[in-house]
Amino acid sequence: MYKTVAYQVASTINIKESKGHLPWTLLFQDSDELYYKVSEDAFVYLFQYGMVSFFNLEKKTIAEILQKIKPFCNDYFSEKLSDSAEVIVKSNVIKVGFDNIVLPKLDEEMIRLVMLNTSQSVALNRYSEITEELLNETKKHTAYLEENGKLDISGNKLKRFIGKALNIKNRISENLYIFDSPEITWENEQLNRLNLDLKRSFDLKDRYRLIHDRIEIIKENLELFKDIMDHKESSRLEWIIIILIVIEVIDMFIAKLFNLI
């Protein structure tokens, strides 16, 4: 039995810098990913969005590799989210179950798909935590609005909140390939079926939709907050204009009164 484990180690990993310093055999690369063969039947997979996946490596070796990768990480995490999957090799069998994944052989591309989907699962856990925190914060503001008829958030803080929500939405769109299949699956039916089964096993699509729905709820609430804030600012400007007009009229009245005297 072999084990795949994926960790969210940082906000981002500099893929270009990593490639120039890591010593293993490079099997696949693009601007966002590096897939290495470390030794016989042992692999490491790096992702630009701060994810690292390991196949058939002991904890001590994993710790050593993480130390090698750390200099290329932005905002390295001391506490790391993780997920894992057990892989069993059985001739002529491809099966993705609840507890393990059965492969016909230790094929590099099949292992890559297992590592990819395990990493996507960890990323979803991360974004699920972030969006849940944002949603809870949004609920506090809506509860205050319901009870007091006004917002308890300043315009500047609201803008930062909107920016944070939009950045998270952009990162999810850029980094998760839940609805896309890797190029290696396009012309290989066996790999394509394995990839689809892995997505179902990790429940990636439903978890992604839940995160997407949360972001849409947050977005709708923030747009409402912005409209209320804009209306408040507009009303304030209207009152300023009215007061200035009244002052000008009073000033003219006083000037005419002195002229009559």
Side-chain angles (χ1 to χ4, degrees), residues 191-208:
L191 291 177
N192 185 56
R193 187 170 69 253
L194 173 62
N195 185 53
L196 294 174
D197 288 345
L198 287 166
K199 288 184 189 298
R200 280 192 292 268
S201 178
F202 284 108
D203 200 20
L204 298 187
K205 290 185 178 181
D206 288 341
R207 290 162 63 195
Y208 176 89

Side-chain angles (χ1 to χ4, degrees), residues 226-240:
K226 184 177 178 297
D227 289 342
I228 293 172
M229 197 74 70
D230 289 343
H231 178 72
K232 183 179 178 181
E233 288 296 320
S234 178
S235 298
R236 184 180 299 162
L237 287 173
E238 288 175 2
W239 275 109
I240 290 171

